[in-house]
Amino acid sequence: MTVTQTDGDEQYKIQISYKGNELECIKTFDYFVETTTNGVLNFGANNVSLNENGMYHNKSLSSNSPSTKQEEKLVLKVEWNGLTESFVLGNL
């Protein structure tokens, strides 16, 4: 995930890759991103699907007033087939 702040806007871009061996079992999934400090980051999607290579790319960038600080870590929550998994994303 990439967060870019320019000219008073904050833009998000995400790529999710499935690393398992049962791609055909995942028809659709939901994901949501929030910060570890205040939880306020309205970025996610419902009922999205992976491509034939097991990847999902956000095709449109969201924009809002900057709410994320560089030192904040983001949490990506992915829900599929009744399961939920969370990943903490760090800064580069």
Side-chain angles (χ1 to χ4, degrees), residues 4 7 24 36 40 44 46 49-50 54-55 57 61 68 72 75:
T4 307
D7 298 327
E24 65 279 354
T36 56
V40 178
N46 295 318
S49 57
L50 300 168
M55 299 181 79
H57 297 273
L61 295 175
T68 307
E72 286 186 292
V75 178

Side-chain angles (χ1 to χ4, degrees), residues 69-84:
K69 294 181 172 66
Q70 185 172 356
E71 63 274 8
E72 286 186 292
K73 291 190 173 153
L74 303 178
V75 178
L76 169 64
K77 292 182 180 180
V78 181
E79 298 178 0
W80 76 103
N81 297 341
L83 302 170
T84 302

